[in-house]
Amino acid sequence: MTTRDPKSLRSHRWFGVQDLRSFGHRSRVRQMGYAAADFAGKPVIAIVNTWSDLNPCHAHFKQRVEDVKRGVWQAGGFPVELPAMSVPETYAKPTSMLYRNFLAMETEEHLRSNPIDGVVLMGGCDKTTPALLMGAISMDLPAIFIPAGPMLRGNWGGRILGSGSDVWKYWDEKRAGTISEREWEEIENGIARSHGVCMTMGTAATMTAIAEVLGFTLPNASSIPAADSNHPRMASDSGRRIVDMVWEDLKPSDILTRKSFENAIVASLAMAGSTNGIIHTVAMARRARIDLGIDDYDSFAREVPVIANVRPSGQFLMEDFYYAGGLRALLRELGDKIDLTQRTVNGGTLGDDIADARTHLPDVIRPLDNPVSSAVGLAVLRGNLAPNGCVMKPAAAEPRLWKHTGPALVFRDYNHMAAEIDREDLEVTADHVLVLQNAGPQGGPGMPEWGMLPIPKKLLRQGVRDMLRLSDSRMSGTSYGACVLHIAPESFIGGPLAFVRTGDPIEVDIALRRIHLHVSDEEMARRRADWVAPRPHYPRGYGALFSRHIGQADEGCDFDFLQAGEAVPEPEIH
C-alpha cells in the first residue's frame, strides 16, 4: 500500500495549517467532544447516508452507519456522517427520478465544500445509487459504495411474492374480479417482510449490481440481503477499506473505463436488468467523460443471453440469487464476455474479486448454454416514432407481441388514461396499441414509471394479460409486459409521439429493431404545424431548473451543466 504524507490530505487544508481559520476548525471539532488524537493527521471519511423515516428500503441505515464508522475508526480514519436527500421510490412524487440529479448535486457539493478525503456512499433505493455515484464521479475523491441489499421474500398463503411484479399481477386479478378484498389485504401484509430494496430484479437490484461491476463495492456486496448478518460485516469492511483507499489515492477516475462500463452493460443484460439502468448508466458514464449511448446496450444485447432466473423475467428472487452464489457467480458464468482486468475498490481487479466464485444453484444462475429465455433482455428500437430511440424488454413480454401491428389508442396524459382505461364502453381490443403521451422528462414531469399502462378492465375479464404499450415514460424494473419505453424525443417538447392519433397503425418488430407509425410524412408535417407546445409544469424553484436543463432519455436525463465544462476548483479557505 502506498502511504501518502498526512499533509497531502485534502482535510489538512482545514485542520493542519497553523492559522486563525484552522484554529476555528479544530476548536469546533473539539466542541463536539473529539480530541486531537481522534482526527489530527487522519483521513476524514464522509459517510453520505440516505436514511429517512420515509424510506423503508433504507430503514436499517441508522445502524449500518454505525457499522461503517466502526470500520473507519479501526482503520485509523475519522468518520463523519453527512445526511443527504433520501429520494424514496415509494413516496417521492411526482417521481423520484425528478430528484436524482438533486441528490447527485448534493453529494458532489457535500464533498467539495467540506474537509473530506474519502467517502462511503450508502444507497440502494432506485435513484440513490446512480445519484450518489454521479456526484462521487464528478468530485473524484476515493469512494466506496454500500448497497442497501434486497429485502426478504414476500409470502402469501404459502406462495412466494416478489416486490412490484406480484403487485401488478394480483392487482390485475383484483380488477378482473378473481381475488377478493380480503385476499388483497393479505397480500399487502405479506409482500414486504423486512427492510431492504425490492427483491425482484428491479431498478434497485440492477443498479447496485452495476455499481459492483463498475468496481465501486467490495466483492458480492450487492447481493447480500439487507437482513443477513453478512450485511453489517460488509459495511464495516467497507469502512476499513475506504481509509486504505485514501492513503492509496484510489479514485473513481482510476477505476472507471469504457471497458468497465461495457462490463456493467453485459452483466445487466445477463440479469435482464431494469430498463431504467440504461438511463442511469449513460448518465454515470458521461460524468466520467466516457461517451456511452443506448446503441451500446443494443449491440451487447444481441450477444448476451439472460442467465439470471430472477423475476420478473425469471422464476426466483434476489435472496435465492445470493444463495446461488450472487453477482460473483454470475460474472464467473459470463466468462470472456467480461473484461476481468478492470480495477475495483478492493485494490485489485475484477478477476481477483471473482477468482474463487462458484454457482451453487444452477437453476437460479444458469450457464451460458442454458439461458432463461430465448428472448434478448433488451432491445433498442428506432423509427419515425422514435428517431433517437426507445427501449423494450422482450424477455418480459408475451412472444406474440415481439412482432405486432395494431391501431393506436391514445391517452394525452396519465389523468386521461386513468379516467378512460376501465370504462366498459372503451373501444379497445387485444390488438390495440396503448399510447401514453406527455410522460417524459419534461412532460411527466420527471419521467415517472407510468410505462406499464394497465390492461383495460374489459380485456382483463376476457383473459388478456399483455398488450403492446408505448410511452415516453419509464417503468419499474419490477414490471413486465410488452412495454416500449423512453421514446425520444419526448412528446412534451414536440417529439413524433405527440402527433399520434387514435386509430393510427403502429408497427413494432423486435427482430428488426423497428418501430414505425404508418402515417405519411405529409400528414405528420400537418399535425406538427397544428401542434401547440404545452406550458411548463413549474413556474419557479427546482422544478423550473429541472425543466430548463434536463436531457432526454437517450442522453441519460442529466442536467446539461453537470456534464460539460472543466473541473470545478477546490474551495478557497479564508
Side-chain angles (χ1 to χ4, degrees):
M1 180 179 69
T2 302
T3 301
R4 297 161 55 191
D5 184 338
K7 291 182 179 179
S8 71
L9 294 174
R10 189 170 177 271
S11 59
H12 178 80
R13 299 174 59 227
W14 276 262
F15 296 125
V17 181
Q18 296 304 315
D19 62 11
L20 179 61
R21 182 53 60 198
S22 291
F23 168 89
H25 296 152
R26 292 190 297 269
S27 68
R28 294 302 186 177
V29 176
R30 293 172 186 270
Q31 179 186 1
M32 293 184 285
Y34 295 107
D38 292 323
F39 67 90
K42 295 183 176 182
V44 178
I45 305 299
I47 306 171
V48 179
N49 187 356
T50 52
W51 172 88
S52 91
D53 268 333
L54 280 177
N55 196 334
C57 304
H58 297 180
H60 53 315
F61 276 6
K62 266 189 174 181
Q63 179 56 49
R64 288 299 175 273
V65 73
E66 301 304 320
D67 299 324
V68 175
K69 286 180 179 180
R70 182 172 69 249
V72 173
W73 284 119
Q74 289 170 349
F78 179 51
V80 292
E81 181 182 357
L82 300 180
M85 190 179 197
S86 193
V87 199
E89 191 68 26
T90 43
Y91 297 114
K93 306 300 179 187
T95 168
S96 63
M97 185 62 180
L98 187 70
Y99 299 104
R100 184 200 68 179
N101 296 346
F102 190 110
L103 176 57
M105 293 170 66
E106 183 180 16
T107 300
E108 181 178 349
E109 299 308 322
H110 257 328
L111 302 180
R112 175 172 293 110
S113 62
N114 288 298
I116 304 303
D117 299 305
V119 59
V120 177
L121 306 162
M122 299 180 63
C125 190
D126 293 14
K127 308 309 175 294
T128 57
T129 299
L132 292 168
L133 294 181
M134 287 162 68
I137 291 168
S138 292
M139 187 58 200
D140 203 30
L141 293 178
I144 194 168
F145 181 73
I146 292 183
M151 70 176 87
L152 300 177
R153 303 184 192 95
N155 185 279
W156 169 52
R159 303 181 210 184
I160 294 173
L161 299 177
S163 306
S165 301
D166 282 318
V167 175
W168 323 130
K169 172 184 173 180
Y170 288 112
W171 176 243
D172 279 350
E173 297 306 324
K174 181 176 182 297
R175 291 171 65 227
T178 61
I179 67 171
S180 67
E181 287 287 349
R182 174 65 180 273
E183 289 171 316
W184 180 245
E185 183 178 352
E186 290 172 351
I187 292 171
E188 182 177 323
N189 288 334
I191 200 164
R193 296 175 44 244
S194 76
H195 47 260
V197 301
C198 293
M199 73 307 240
T200 46
M201 189 57 73
T203 305
T206 301
M207 291 312 303
T208 54
I210 285 175
E212 180 171 338
V213 180
L214 287 174
F216 274 107
T217 81
L218 295 181
N220 236 23
S222 66
S223 305
I224 305 170
D228 193 296
S229 62
N230 284 292
H231 200 270
R233 288 196 289 272
M234 176 271 294
S236 292
D237 287 342
S238 299
R240 285 185 286 271
R241 177 59 193 149
I242 188 62
V243 176
D244 288 344
M245 288 175 62
V246 170
W247 291 125
E248 297 166 11
D249 199 26
L250 182 60
K251 305 180 298 298
S253 60
D254 300 315
I255 294 172
L256 298 176
T257 67
R258 181 170 183 84
K259 285 292 185 182
S260 63
F261 276 99
E262 290 177 353
N263 282 345
I265 291 174
V266 169
S268 177
L269 292 168
M271 297 184 296
S274 168
T275 50
N276 290 314
I278 305 170
I279 296 175
H280 301 317
T281 305
V282 168
M284 291 189 296
R286 295 187 178 191
R287 289 293 187 99
R289 302 182 183 276
I290 295 169
D291 187 17
L292 197 76
I294 59 174
D295 289 329
D296 292 299
Y297 263 87
D298 191 63
S299 62
F300 282 106
R302 297 171 187 267
E303 304 172 1
V304 179
V306 177
I307 62 172
N309 191 7
V310 179
R311 301 183 198 181
S313 297
Q315 177 183 356
F316 297 97
L317 295 172
M318 289 303 296
E319 191 176 348
D320 307 296
F321 183 76
Y322 178 60
Y323 300 147
L327 186 67
R328 293 171 71 241
L330 180 129
L331 295 177
R332 188 70 182 269
E333 294 288 355
L334 286 169
D336 60 7
K337 294 185 182 298
I338 294 289
D339 184 339
L340 298 178
T341 67
Q342 299 304 299
R343 300 180 70 184
T344 76
V345 296
N346 209 28
T349 66
L350 193 59
D352 298 330
D353 288 355
I354 70 167
D356 61 348
R358 289 186 300 150
T359 299
H360 306 296
L361 300 172
D363 194 29
V364 179
I365 300 175
R366 302 277 189 91
L368 288 171
D369 60 1
N370 183 29
V372 175
S373 170
S374 60
V376 294
L378 182 97
V380 174
L381 315 179
R382 290 185 185 272
N384 66 346
L385 194 53
N388 295 346
C390 56
V391 301
M392 185 180 176
K393 201 172 177 179
E398 291 186 5
R400 65 183 178 84
L401 295 169
W402 293 348
K403 183 177 181 179
H404 181 78
T405 301
L409 177 58
V410 179
F411 303 106
R412 62 181 176 271
D413 55 32
Y414 185 89
N415 289 334
H416 181 213
M417 181 274 295
E420 298 285 317
I421 201 71
D422 285 341
R423 283 177 45 190
E424 294 296 337
D425 61 346
L426 185 67
E427 295 185 6
V428 63
T429 69
D431 288 332
H432 269 85
V433 179
L434 305 183
V435 176
L436 176 63
Q437 299 170 328
N438 296 310
Q442 292 195 38
M447 203 178 179
E449 292 182 342
W450 295 340
M452 188 182 168
L453 278 70
I455 305 297
K457 184 182 288 188
K458 65 185 294 184
L459 296 182
L460 286 173
R461 289 173 178 159
Q462 297 171 20
V464 176
R465 291 298 182 268
D466 199 5
M467 294 177 69
L468 196 60
R469 290 160 273 182
L470 276 60
S471 73
D472 45 15
S473 64
R474 300 175 300 110
M475 77 174 182
S476 167
T478 67
S479 301
Y480 53 86
C483 302
V484 178
L485 312 156
H486 309 183
I487 291 178
E490 65 174 305
S491 54
F492 195 83
I493 63 172
L497 187 68
F499 314 126
V500 181
R501 295 179 181 174
T502 293
D504 290 344
I506 294 177
E507 175 192 353
V508 167
D509 191 321
I510 300 303
L512 298 179
R513 299 298 197 267
R514 169 181 166 88
I515 182 168
H516 187 75
L517 176 68
H518 288 277
V519 172
S520 70
D521 293 342
E522 294 77 15
E523 174 61 20
M524 288 295 282
R526 282 192 291 271
R527 295 180 187 183
R528 183 181 295 276
D530 293 338
W531 180 72
V532 177
R535 295 178 60 186
H537 288 283
Y538 293 100
R540 58 170 296 280
Y542 172 73
L545 175 74
F546 181 97
S547 297
R548 294 187 190 112
H549 296 283
I550 191 65
Q552 289 292 292
D554 60 302
E555 303 168 318
C557 293
D558 202 0
F559 290 156
D560 51 15
F561 61 85
L562 292 177
Q563 295 188 71
E566 299 178 2
V568 178
E570 286 285 335
E572 295 184 359
I573 300 176
H574 297 304

